[in-house]
Amino acid sequence: DARVTQTPRHKVTEMGQEVTMRCQPILGHNTVFWYRQTMMQGLELLAYFRNRAPLDDSGMPKDRFSAEMPDATLATLKIQPSEPRDSAVYFCASGLRRRDSLATNEKLFFGSGTQLSVL
Amino acid sequence: AQSVAQPEDQVNVAEGNPLTVKCTYSVSGNPYLFWYVQYPNRGLQFLLKYITGDNLVKGSYGFEAEFNKSQTSFHLKKPSALVSDSALYFCAVRASHDKIIFGKGTRLHILP
């Protein structure tokens, strides 16, 4: 079965360190989303790419977070420097937007997430 | 502002009883609405969607959802709950630029 792959599954780091999370979307998908899940805020949208171009990153703290898609098979989310309040589970999801479809992004496929703990 | 609200943090239902998980939305234009489910230590899985057509949509695992335009609601339902339905359920809406935004989630407990 095709699936979204996220690495690492778990990351424990110290405050101030750089953190890089990686996502391999499903082959052929052209949209990628990054979400952050916490108990208090639920599932927050951080960034959204279509055809590797960033379309919306308004939910992402710009001073320390950055998201890129160096190629169609890899999306990255970086935090530098990390802070304890960044502790959360980070999910990547991919989908397929078809020009001829009314239901664009009708179904997202999620990875298993990266559980980040910043001490 | 475009948003999704799930007014209940937790819903408890006895096994075999019908269940409802509530969702209301605020979006300009015609809404595209979704339900996803999350099991422990897993990513979200797609359950069902409403794009257009019948107000009652059917999805995976016997779930269905009813779209009500006048009440701007999209409640998730199942006629007879199973213990295995216990999970975290998210309502979502397609917002501007096709981005998908989610509610905070509702934890469903099915009691044996």
Side-chain angles (χ1 to χ4, degrees):
Chain A
D1 286 343
R3 60 192 182 110
V4 176
T5 303
Q6 287 187 250
T7 57
R9 286 296 309 273
H10 303 275
K11 176 71 176 180
V12 180
T13 190
E14 292 186 347
M15 182 174 61
Q17 297 297 305
E18 177 178 302
V19 175
T20 299
M21 291 169 272
R22 293 177 174 81
C23 168
Q24 181 177 352
I26 291 174
L27 189 64
H29 281 187
N30 59 358
T31 62
V32 171
F33 294 77
W34 282 103
Y35 292 93
R36 175 170 63 184
Q37 185 177 25
T38 60
M39 290 288 289
M40 294 300 295
Q41 300 298 327
L43 207 60
E44 300 173 274
L45 177 63
L46 297 176
Y48 164 41
F49 291 79
R50 187 193 304 160
N51 297 323
R52 294 176 56 201
L55 288 191
D56 192 314
D57 61 1
S58 57
M60 197 165 66
K62 302 291 193 304
D63 56 338
R64 298 183 299 108
F65 285 60
S66 62
E68 297 178 344
M69 280 200 75
D71 61 61
T73 64
L74 178 64
T76 63
L77 180 67
K78 292 185 179 181
I79 309 174
Q80 169 61 24
S82 58
E83 297 181 0
R85 59 179 167 152
D86 301 330
S87 297
V89 181
Y90 291 80
F91 286 104
C92 172
S94 72
L96 179 62
R97 185 186 190 276
R98 295 191 179 94
R99 285 188 178 182
D100 59 350
S101 171
L102 286 175
T104 59
N105 283 333
E106 66 175 60
K107 184 174 180 178
L108 293 181
F109 293 79
F110 280 75
S112 296
T114 294
Q115 181 155 5
L116 174 64
S117 296
V118 183
L119 306 177
Chain B
Q2 297 165 324
S3 64
V4 176
Q6 294 181 242
E8 302 154 317
D9 290 337
Q10 183 169 307
V11 171
N12 297 322
V13 177
E15 185 178 22
N17 282 3
L19 68 87
T20 298
V21 183
K22 296 179 180 177
C23 171
T24 58
Y25 65 90
S26 173
V27 65
S28 56
N30 293 322
Y32 291 0
L33 299 158
F34 311 88
W35 276 100
Y36 285 76
V37 61
Q38 184 182 29
Y39 297 103
N41 300 314
R42 302 285 297 275
L44 279 68
Q45 298 175 34
F46 174 84
L47 271 182
L48 52 78
K49 67 180 185 294
Y50 171 83
I51 305 298
T52 186
D54 289 341
N55 289 342
L56 188 64
V57 295
K58 295 187 182 299
S60 307
Y61 312 121
F63 282 92
E64 55 192 27
E66 186 171 12
F67 170 66
N68 187 316
K69 188 173 183 178
S70 62
Q71 297 185 6
T72 61
S73 67
F74 189 56
H75 300 334
L76 181 70
K77 300 182 179 185
K78 188 172 182 180
S80 179
L82 301 172
V83 172
S84 57
D85 294 330
S86 298
L88 189 56
Y89 290 81
F90 290 91
C91 183
V93 66
R94 193 189 78 167
S96 56
H97 304 297
D98 290 345
K99 64 185 179 183
I100 307 295
I101 57 175
F102 288 82
K104 289 192 174 184
T106 298
R107 190 162 298 281
L108 179 63
H109 285 288
I110 307 301
L111 309 171

